[in-house]
Amino acid sequence: MKYLVGDARYEKGVSLRCLAQRAQITRSYLQRIEAGEAKPSLEVMVRLANALGSPLEELYREEE
């Protein structure tokens, strides 16, 4: 599973710090999610999707 949070964040023009605050997670945790170093829970992904105003399914991609 690849997380596309960084791509969505960039497209929306939202800073790392701002998204982390909106989703109520730490900036370092968000960095790890975007780098593929952390596997976020569904709850965290829902908060990120809501903070970005994006559908949840846009933040995931199956790896081949």
Side-chain angles (χ1 to χ4, degrees), residues 15-57:
S15 72
L16 193 73
R17 181 178 173 189
C18 182
L19 180 55
Q21 287 176 340
R22 288 181 190 172
Q24 300 177 336
I25 61 174
T26 65
R27 191 172 60 100
S28 61
Y29 182 41
L30 179 54
Q31 284 177 311
R32 289 183 19 244
I33 292 168
E34 290 186 1
E37 297 170 358
K39 184 177 178 183
S41 67
L42 178 58
E43 177 187 347
V44 168
M45 290 302 292
V46 167
R47 291 195 323 237
L48 288 167
N50 289 339
L52 286 167
S54 297
L56 181 61
E57 55 272 4

